[in-house]
Amino acid sequence: QRLDATIVLQGAFNGASNRAIRIAGPAFSQTFAVAMAGVNGQIANIHVPVSTGYGCLAAKDLAHSLTTATSASIVNRAYKATFVLRQGDSNNDDSVDIYDFSLFAADRGLASGAAGRSNFNSDIAVNNADFAFISTNFFRTGDTCSSNAQGREAVTRVKIGRAHV
């Protein structure tokens, strides 16, 4: 059997980028290099285990997004799924939280190139356009396909303790 996946990046993008996208389902997980034209990308003919259906599939841009889960439908004898990926995850922990903001603050102003950890829109630098992704998705966590999964909570604050000498 095969799966065709459409990848849509949330937000505004100009130009092209390459993303490492992981697609996972029951009994499989594969990572693909996806050429994105603006916000859109395609992965065609993913070989998946034979199944009567895929009620839940998950996708994640390993550098920048939260996991998005969706179901697949059958179109022309192939499974089809569309994933809209929310950006803002600088440290790939599947949440947008204070750690991602800290990394953004450290990266801000740097000419990081399209693949920089906080360069969500893949332009030439980390700037206010990239901060928009963190502010839009702050305190969000990635989806899961497991009904009994303990969801990871976004970290809202960090306390720095004082050492007693």
Side-chain angles (χ1 to χ4, degrees), residues 3-162:
L3 164 70
D4 295 330
T6 300
I7 308 299
V8 179
L9 301 176
Q10 170 221 30
F13 291 80
N14 293 322
S17 64
N18 291 304
R19 303 290 178 122
I21 306 291
R22 180 182 60 225
I23 305 288
F28 79 93
S29 178
Q30 300 174 49
T31 301
F32 302 89
V34 180
M36 304 295 295
V39 298
N40 299 302
Q42 297 284 328
I43 309 170
N45 294 316
I46 301 169
H47 295 281
V48 294
V50 174
S51 177
T52 58
Y54 284 99
C56 189
L57 296 168
K60 181 175 184 355
D61 170 355
L62 298 179
H64 301 297
S65 85
L66 300 176
T67 301
T68 296
T70 191
S71 60
S73 59
I74 298 175
V75 179
N76 296 329
R77 298 188 300 165
Y79 288 105
K80 305 273 185 193
T82 299
F83 301 93
V84 178
L85 301 179
R86 293 183 190 108
Q87 304 291 292
D89 185 10
S90 292
N91 62 352
N92 196 28
D93 67 351
D94 216 18
S95 70
V96 179
D97 55 21
I98 195 67
Y99 294 131
D100 300 296
F101 175 74
S102 299
L103 292 171
F104 164 80
D107 294 344
R108 190 175 184 331
L110 297 177
S112 64
R117 70 178 173 194
S118 296
N119 192 2
F120 307 117
N121 66 353
S122 298
D123 62 5
I124 61 171
V126 176
N127 53 31
N128 289 348
D130 299 297
F131 178 69
F133 293 97
I134 291 176
S135 64
T136 299
N137 295 311
F138 206 57
F139 297 143
R140 288 187 187 257
T141 58
D143 296 338
T144 180
C145 286
S146 176
S147 61
N148 60 1
Q150 295 290 327
R152 183 188 186 292
E153 292 189 29
V155 177
T156 59
R157 61 186 172 170
V158 177
K159 180 179 179 183
I160 299 173
R162 220 169 121 176

